[in-house]
Amino acid sequence: MPDSTEQQPPRRVVTDNLVSLQSFILEEETRYPGASGDFSWIISAISLAAKIIAHKVRHVRLQNVLGEDGTINVQGEDQLHMDVIANEVIMRVLGGRGSIAVLGSEEEEQPTILRRGHEGGKYCVLFDPLDGSSNLDTAVGVGTIFTILRNDPKIHGAVETVCQAGHQQVAAGYVLYGSSTVFVITTGRGVHMFELDSSIGSFMLVQSNIQMPASKKIYSVNEANAEGFPEGFQKYLKWAHQNGYSSRYIGSMVADMHRTLMNGGVFLYPPTKKHPNGKLRLLYEANPMSFLVEQAGGASVTAAGQRTMDIVPSQMHERVPLVLGSKNEVAAVVAHL
Ligand code: AHM
Ligand code: MG
């Protein structure tokens, strides 16, 4: 037995621990007694898919995967090679995870049922495989957006299963393939950011509990559509012009939202002549971003001023006009609507 009076070496306190996405999620799961580890398997699959897509995105020219695929998706949009590749990668990686019941993608008309009823499957995953892909030919940042929902085995249809209000999300996040590749996630306990260290193949924690500034005089909108915006949005823009606001618009939602999350401001996609319900899809674009923004202290509403995450969807690909970002900036838009 060591003598307890013996002098111990000084205890070292490490405050700048290196934490991978994998270990962060495993740690999160230990907070839920009886957790099976299924959830961390799904996040680990998404991170694997993200690494494969990040590699492809970085080499689109060398691998000759720029340009159109010659196919059209359910939204009537021309699919690019990279849309199809990113979708296939996520489908193949997530398809092997036993805890997933249903997968839904922007690129596919119907949700894919992996297992039902007695076959199990606790979760559904919905995603936009490569948001902003039309920017790839100019090497602008693009991203993958995802949301994880619970599967209710009592609901029979796959579409009905995934048509859940945003406040029911279990987790949501995005991966931005920009000048660096970052993975931003919330499980309802803050927003955390990981950066891909490709030399070791891991996403490493670089910022936890991200909080966005409550105010920042920046709006992000495709202002070329302004004539078709409802009057309230036009009034807001006029007010912003008169009040010293700056404009930033990349045209790639993940990149625009990442800047908004980190620096503050407001991102808008109002109804336009071409898209009377806005362009962005509720289930796999608006809801995940809204969950992240609310967790970071911001707000997200529709053109009618309703909380985005309270909308009960009726279709997997439905669109919603969107206003989200810093709390006070969203309030300033709403005041004009
Ligand atoms: P996508 O999912 O087909 O790539 O379209 C969504 C993208 C968003 O990334 C971006 O915010 C928006 O379209 C830009 O639209 P617009 O060119 O009308 O401004
Ligand atoms: Mg998209």
Side-chain angles (χ1 to χ4, degrees):
M1 276 286 278
D3 177 358
S4 60
T5 60
E6 203 177 284
Q7 199 170 8
Q8 298 289 319
R11 191 178 288 197
R12 182 173 166 209
V13 180
V14 184
T15 50
D16 54 349
N17 294 304
L18 289 173
V19 178
S20 67
L21 173 61
Q22 193 98 11
S23 44
F24 183 87
I25 297 295
L26 281 171
E27 170 86 31
E28 282 278 288
E29 247 187 359
T30 59
R31 295 174 195 279
Y32 301 92
S36 57
D38 289 343
F39 180 74
S40 21
W41 269 109
I42 295 176
I43 301 298
S44 124
I46 296 173
S47 84
L48 173 61
K51 287 178 224 173
I52 299 172
I53 297 169
H55 181 76
K56 280 274 175 201
V57 165
R58 299 242 172 278
H59 302 91
V60 277
R61 285 167 197 80
L62 291 171
Q63 298 200 4
N64 201 18
V65 285
L66 269 180
E68 290 177 6
D69 192 67
T71 46
I72 292 180
N73 71 9
V74 59
Q75 339 270 342
E77 300 157 345
D78 290 319
Q79 285 181 304
L80 304 179
H81 282 314
M82 273 307 298
D83 287 324
V84 176
I85 291 170
N87 186 54
E88 201 53 31
V89 166
I90 301 179
M91 282 291 188
R92 285 179 64 193
V93 175
L94 290 184
R97 297 297 198 246
S99 55
I100 304 178
V102 181
L103 287 176
S105 165
E106 177 182 318
E107 301 302 332
E108 303 202 0
E109 185 167 1
Q110 295 294 332
T112 301
I113 299 173
L114 296 174
R115 44 194 70 75
R116 302 251 62 185
H118 66 278
E119 295 168 338
K122 265 197 236 170
Y123 299 102
C124 306
V125 184
L126 305 184
F127 54 91
D128 179 353
L130 203 56
D131 183 71
S133 52
S134 60
N135 289 308
L136 273 175
D137 53 359
T138 47
V140 168
V142 294
T144 297
I145 313 173
F146 65 90
T147 175
I148 302 177
L149 304 167
R150 257 178 240 293
N151 174 46
D152 181 350
K154 293 193 290 299
I155 301 177
H156 188 66
V159 175
E160 291 83 342
T161 302
V162 299
C163 279
Q164 300 181 24
H167 61 77
Q168 293 179 269
Q169 293 173 100
V170 175
Y174 60 78
V175 186
L176 169 61
Y177 312 104
S179 53
S180 58
T181 299
V182 293
F183 193 119
V184 179
I185 185 170
T186 183
T187 58
R189 289 176 18 89
V191 178
H192 314 287
M193 174 162 68
F194 300 80
E195 185 175 76
L196 180 61
D197 182 338
S198 46
S199 64
I200 58 168
S202 285
F203 282 100
M204 303 300 292
L205 182 65
V206 286
Q207 201 170 334
S208 48
N209 294 312
I210 295 169
Q211 283 292 302
M212 56 197 307
S215 304
K216 179 85 180 186
K217 287 187 167 188
I218 291 180
Y219 64 81
S220 185
V221 67
N222 188 343
E223 216 162 346
N225 295 326
E227 270 193 28
F229 292 167
E231 205 188 341
F233 287 97
Q234 298 189 16
K235 282 189 185 154
Y236 164 75
L237 287 172
K238 201 164 174 203
W239 172 86
H241 296 164
Q242 291 163 349
N243 283 276
Y245 274 68
S246 216
S247 156
R248 294 281 182 278
Y249 192 67
I250 298 167
S252 190
M253 190 200 196
V254 177
D256 278 315
M257 278 312 301
H258 188 62
R259 183 198 57 249
T260 306
L261 195 72
M262 302 308 292
N263 296 348
V266 62
F267 174 89
L268 309 102
Y269 209 110
T272 64
K273 281 192 186 126
K274 189 172 169 199
H275 297 293
N277 291 322
K279 182 180 178 190
L280 301 171
R281 273 56 53 124
L282 173 62
L283 275 167
Y284 43 79
E285 292 178 322
N287 274 342
M289 291 299 182
S290 303
F291 193 13
L292 289 160
V293 159
E294 284 198 7
Q295 283 290 313
S300 171
V301 298
T302 68
Q306 185 189 5
R307 182 186 180 217
T308 308
M309 289 205 290
D310 282 343
I311 302 173
V312 179
S314 50
Q315 293 172 39
M316 189 171 96
H317 297 289
E318 83 182 53
R319 299 174 195 257
V320 65
L322 200 59
V323 178
L324 77 172
S326 296
K327 219 173 206 158
N328 297 340
E329 304 307 336
V330 171
V333 178
V334 172
H336 289 85
L337 300 184

